[in-house]
């Protein structure tokens, strides 16, 4: 059974960096048949996929156009986890953030999700 | 990005009713269409993948159909636990997008 456990601060100041981590159990971040995603949800933007990282002989990343200039998703093979960094945040980045496993692209079905974490951007 | 438009945005129905939710893509997405159910305070749960394949453990009253740009999720006979918000999702593009959701409420 795959489990994803999210961690990170719930409050971030404007212009600073939002950082979250998703620890994986029951699978490997280096799996050749999975991808590791970050998604957020807010009343104004609904469910918004932010990006993913996956390993296919080398590491790949895909990022949503809306955040491409500000986002980094990194795998950490030593801890079997992956992280989200979102730079230069504004109050519009306030949302519940989820990590999720998906099948290999392009099927990319999201079959396991983290518990979600509310991140508020405020001074 | 591929835009996903669901209708209706909200729906009131009674236990035992048959309901259908529609999802339209702004371009053809072949069969790369999934459906999720979300309850308040919880992460979305995968119901149907690849248009019509039922995720393990999902009751058979849920079904999906469609192709190209037009897709439907049908619940054949509503149970009390089915009142939730439903989202479609396309994975045809590397830039994954979701519909805006359909809130299913008890009449």
């Amino acid at each position: 059974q795959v489990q994803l456990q999210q961690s990170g601060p719930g409050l971030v100041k404007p212009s600073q960096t939002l950082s979250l981590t998703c620890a994986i159990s029951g699978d490997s971040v280096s799996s050749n048949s999975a991808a590791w995603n970050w998604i957020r949800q807010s009343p104004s933007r609904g469910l918004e996929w932010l990006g993913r990282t996956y390993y296919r002989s080398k590491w790949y990343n895909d990022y949503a156009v809306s955040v491409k200039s500000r986002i980094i998703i990194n795998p950490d093979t030593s801890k079997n986890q992956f992280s989200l960094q979102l730079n230069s945040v504004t109050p519009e980045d306030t949302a519940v953030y989820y990590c999720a496993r998906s099948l290999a692209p392009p099927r990319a079905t999201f079959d396991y999700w983290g518990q979600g974490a509310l991140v508020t951007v405020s001074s | 990005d591929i835009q996903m438009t669901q209708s209706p945005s909200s729906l009131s129905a009674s236990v035992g009713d048959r309901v259908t939710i529609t999802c339209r893509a702004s371009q053809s997405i072949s069969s790369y269409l999934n459906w999720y159910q979300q309850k308040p305070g919880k992460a979305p749960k995968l119901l149907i993948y690849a248009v019509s394949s039922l995720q393990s453990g999902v009751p058979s009253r849920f079904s999906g159909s469609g192709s190209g740009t037009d897709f439907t999720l049908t619940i054949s006979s509503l149970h009390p636990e089915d009142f939730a918000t439903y989202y479609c999702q396309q994975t045809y593009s590397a830039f994954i997008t979701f519909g805006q959701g359909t809130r299913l409420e008890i009449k």
Side-chain angles (χ1 to χ4, degrees):
Chain A
Q1 178 77 348
V2 176
Q3 293 187 327
L4 303 176
Q5 182 67 40
Q6 298 177 220
S7 60
L11 180 64
V12 182
K13 292 184 179 351
S15 80
Q16 295 192 343
T17 296
L18 180 160
S19 297
L20 296 173
T21 299
C22 184
I24 303 164
S25 58
D27 200 349
S28 170
V29 71
S30 304
S31 168
N32 278 298
S33 60
W36 305 96
N37 300 262
W38 287 99
I39 303 104
R40 68 183 178 183
Q41 185 173 32
S42 64
S44 60
R45 302 172 78 102
L47 279 169
E48 180 183 19
W49 174 80
L50 299 177
R52 64 187 173 194
T53 188
Y54 58 98
Y55 185 76
R56 302 290 182 271
S57 304
K58 68 174 186 176
W59 288 101
Y60 292 88
N61 287 292
D62 294 315
Y63 297 131
V65 171
S66 61
V67 295
K68 188 169 185 176
S69 63
R70 303 192 287 131
I71 190 172
I72 299 173
I73 296 176
N74 274 330
D76 182 342
T77 58
S78 66
K79 295 182 179 178
N80 200 31
Q81 62 187 28
F82 62 108
S83 63
L84 167 69
Q85 288 184 56
L86 188 64
N87 301 318
S88 304
V89 297
T90 72
E92 287 64 47
D93 294 309
T94 295
V96 175
Y97 285 75
Y98 294 99
C99 59
R101 186 186 85 162
S102 67
L103 302 180
R107 192 50 74 185
T109 306
F110 290 14
D111 56 356
Y112 291 98
W113 294 66
Q115 77 275 24
L118 174 62
V119 179
T120 301
V121 179
S122 175
S123 53
Chain B
D1 286 359
I2 297 175
Q3 306 302 314
M4 305 299 291
T5 304
Q6 289 182 233
S7 60
S9 296
S10 63
L11 175 60
S12 293
S14 301
V15 172
D17 283 354
R18 177 185 180 92
V19 300
T20 297
I21 297 168
T22 298
C23 178
R24 174 165 289 175
S26 59
Q27 67 181 73
S28 177
I29 57 171
S30 184
S31 64
Y32 294 96
L33 189 284
N34 307 312
W35 290 97
Y36 297 83
Q37 176 194 66
Q38 187 179 31
K39 295 183 178 179
K42 300 293 187 180
K45 170 190 171 184
L46 177 65
L47 292 178
I48 290 173
Y49 62 95
V51 178
S52 59
S53 296
L54 215 58
Q55 176 70 350
S56 175
V58 174
S60 59
R61 62 182 180 272
F62 291 92
S63 64
S65 64
S67 65
T69 60
D70 294 312
F71 304 90
T72 59
L73 170 70
T74 299
I75 309 172
S76 61
S77 178
L78 280 171
H79 286 210
E81 61 268 29
D82 299 337
F83 293 94
T85 301
Y86 293 84
Y87 295 92
C88 61
Q89 175 207 38
Q90 68 79 23
T91 61
Y92 177 83
S93 166
F95 306 111
I96 294 165
T97 49
F98 292 87
Q100 83 279 13
T102 295
R103 184 175 179 184
L104 179 53
E105 300 174 318
I106 300 174
K107 185 182 286 185

